[in-house]
Amino acid sequence: AAKMVKICCIGAGYVGGPTMAVIALKCPSIEVVVVDISATRIAAWNSDQLPIYEPGLEDVVKQCRGRNLFFSTDVEKHVCEADIIFVSVNTPTKTRGLGAGKAADLTYWESAARMIADVSKSDKIVVEKSTVPVKTAEAIEKILTHNSKGISYQILSNPEFLAEGTAIQDLFNPDRVLIGGRETPEGRKAVQALKEVYANWVPEDRIITSNLWSAELSKLAANAILAQRISSVNAISALCEATGANVSEVAYAVGKDSRIGPKFLNASVGFGGSCFQKDILNLVYICECNGLPEVATYWKQVIKINDYQKSRFVNRVVSSMFNTVSGKKIAVLGFAFKKDTGDTRETPAIDVCKGLLGDKAKISIYDPQVSADQIRRDLAMNKFDWDHPIHLQPTSPTAVKEVTVTWDAYEATKGAHGVCILTEWDEFKSLDYAKIYENMQKPAFIFDGRNVVDSEKLREIGFIVYSIGKPLDQWLKDMPAVA
Ligand code: NAI
């Protein structure tokens, strides 16, 4: 029988964990080991309490763990034994030095590449799974070949397109799998080897191949264009509020055009997550480095509109409550950057809460999947610090004393002047709003940053309701937000 293929994945995060679990499930004849320098993360993967919340993930992990799926801190041993090495480490935005605030920080990537070169004793296929700047493969290739000790390395780019919250579904049934490689005989052979892994469950016509740079750039371009759709509809939402148009009606009508399509056109308080902003900043930086300032400015605007949308929301809250929230309790429902995940990286809730705290509000937060510790850490952290290892983060998050975190939406809203809905959790649609109204200060406000509640029903109860991009209540018209 052919030798069992061994895969090692460096980085047991939101990408490494779920992707490798699905490869292990779909390819029983491949041994998959996920390694990480974080011992606590690995311990969690080996426990009943997985380090990330993702619908369906636990089920997949339980089926394969200990069979052909393993989680280990013995990075060097498993890298040494593997035929294919995925690198799925974090690639945050640089916080200092050249390109600070824009360029991708490849420190973690480079150290992973040097470690691979150090410990390898046989030929390897090294797969970029992390989202990296265009031409990273060239840098990685240089590190590996200059330290190669006669071993041959093939670098592939295989960016991950999964979305958090639907990761398992996306991995089971991907729109496409993209593999970029060198256009040499050895390069083609490596592409073929990785293709065979995915072919265990992905239809052939959905596995597409390209050159390395196209694959790297496709991931940045896809995220930039996805984020751009959100900023486009959010920009329109501001105009809707000013004119009396309804953004849901507009988005529906626009999305009916088959060239545009209906998905990803929901107006909201803004996009979040670890990738959109970081990848666009990265794209902007690459454009600038390549002498394309006009292109850079074009994409930068996507982030500016997102920031505008968040501050517009805060302004709306403050202005409609007589221009001050000082000392008022504001309930925040939802802190994760979207539903069905506990991930809070770059969540718009951070900026909204900071904005309200800046106006001296007292906030009470409830999210079904985010811990109080996490929320406190997020609110204490500086921009861009969140994606760096835990030892660089504030160890004892300064207790923001105006913030309380509860495990119950009714507790959070009790005695509040206003409620801000910042994540589209399904459970927020079916809360007992009559009960919530009764226990709030009057007038009672609801600011729906995700357009999840039935505003007409809430108005019947007595609430003053703000929904993004929807016709305004008379109250809100009388108290215009200052931009
Ligand atoms: P993450 O931060 O959850 O996981 C990265 C892991 O790598 C951490 O556990 C860290 O301890 C580990 N690590 C760092 N350096 C290491 C080293 N030298 N040796 C061993 N382990 C090391 O990050 P996440 O979200 O999984 O993202 C990884 C990459 O995938 C990023 O480039 C991101 O842009 C990309 N991506 C993320 C998606 C998402 O939805 N989160 C989707 C598609 C791509």
Side-chain angles (χ1 to χ4, degrees), residues 197-434:
V197 172
Y198 285 106
N200 279 288
W201 80 98
V202 180
E204 185 106 27
D205 61 348
R206 294 206 184 172
I207 307 178
I208 53 186
T209 58
S210 71
N211 76 30
L212 275 170
W213 326 127
S214 301
E216 288 179 342
L217 184 55
S218 297
K219 176 63 189 176
L220 293 181
N223 272 354
I225 291 172
L226 286 168
Q228 181 207 44
R229 274 175 82 98
I230 298 180
S231 279
S232 295
V233 74
N234 281 346
I236 296 291
S237 78
L239 186 56
C240 286
E241 288 166 31
T243 56
N246 179 330
V247 75
S248 300
E249 293 174 355
V250 173
Y252 181 77
V254 169
K256 277 289 175 191
D257 188 320
S258 61
R259 292 168 302 177
I260 296 173
K263 291 183 185 163
F264 239 65
L265 284 178
N266 289 328
S268 71
V269 61
F271 61 73
S274 68
C275 294
F276 282 178
Q277 169 159 310
K278 150 175 94 66
D279 293 349
I280 293 175
L281 286 172
N282 194 197
L283 186 66
V284 165
Y285 183 69
I286 295 169
C287 292
E288 285 170 354
C289 292
N290 283 283
L292 301 169
E294 288 80 2
V295 185
T297 307
Y298 174 76
W299 289 110
K300 221 181 285 174
Q301 202 58 28
V302 172
I303 295 175
K304 282 200 182 155
I305 287 288
N306 198 49
D307 288 338
Y308 167 74
Q309 189 76 348
K310 290 182 274 191
S311 58
R312 205 167 75 75
F313 185 86
V314 173
N315 289 349
R316 187 66 87 179
V317 174
V318 177
S319 66
S320 55
M321 298 171 90
F322 313 103
N323 255 329
T324 177
V325 288
S326 179
K328 291 176 185 168
K329 177 174 174 179
I330 309 282
V332 166
L333 299 186
F335 198 81
F337 84 92
K338 60 147 103 169
K339 75 170 179 177
D340 293 337
T341 177
D343 195 353
T344 59
R345 295 178 292 180
E346 291 290 330
T347 175
I350 294 176
D351 287 340
V352 170
C353 288
K354 283 186 174 174
L356 294 172
L357 289 169
D359 229 287
K360 299 216 174 73
K362 293 195 161 84
I363 54 183
S364 180
I365 305 172
Y366 164 68
D367 187 291
Q369 284 296 336
V370 185
S371 71
D373 261 10
Q374 183 64 50
I375 290 174
R376 293 184 184 287
R377 216 176 300 136
D378 288 337
L379 292 176
M381 219 173 310
N382 291 325
K383 215 170 166 60
F384 299 128
D385 278 353
W386 51 269
D387 204 9
H388 289 270
I390 212 86
H391 66 267
L392 293 177
Q393 297 176 8
T395 38
S396 58
T398 27
V400 191
K401 85 176 177 316
E402 291 78 13
V403 177
T404 52
V405 180
T406 71
W407 279 111
D408 174 13
Y410 299 101
E411 190 59 40
T413 53
K414 194 179 279 171
H417 289 260
V419 177
C420 297
I421 300 177
L422 300 183
T423 311
E424 72 280 21
W425 287 104
D426 288 334
E427 64 180 70
F428 297 157
K429 291 183 187 157
S430 52
L431 292 171
D432 182 348
Y433 283 100

Side-chain angles (χ1 to χ4, degrees), residues 79-119:
V79 165
C80 177
E81 288 176 359
D83 307 293
I84 303 177
I85 302 164
F86 285 86
V87 184
S88 180
V89 301
N90 34 337
T91 51
T93 307
K94 277 182 84 169
T95 50
R96 57 190 75 175
L98 192 65
K102 277 187 275 191
D105 183 344
L106 293 177
T107 314
Y108 308 107
W109 238 107
E110 183 173 338
S111 84
R114 289 184 184 278
M115 184 268 301
I116 295 172
D118 273 352
V119 306

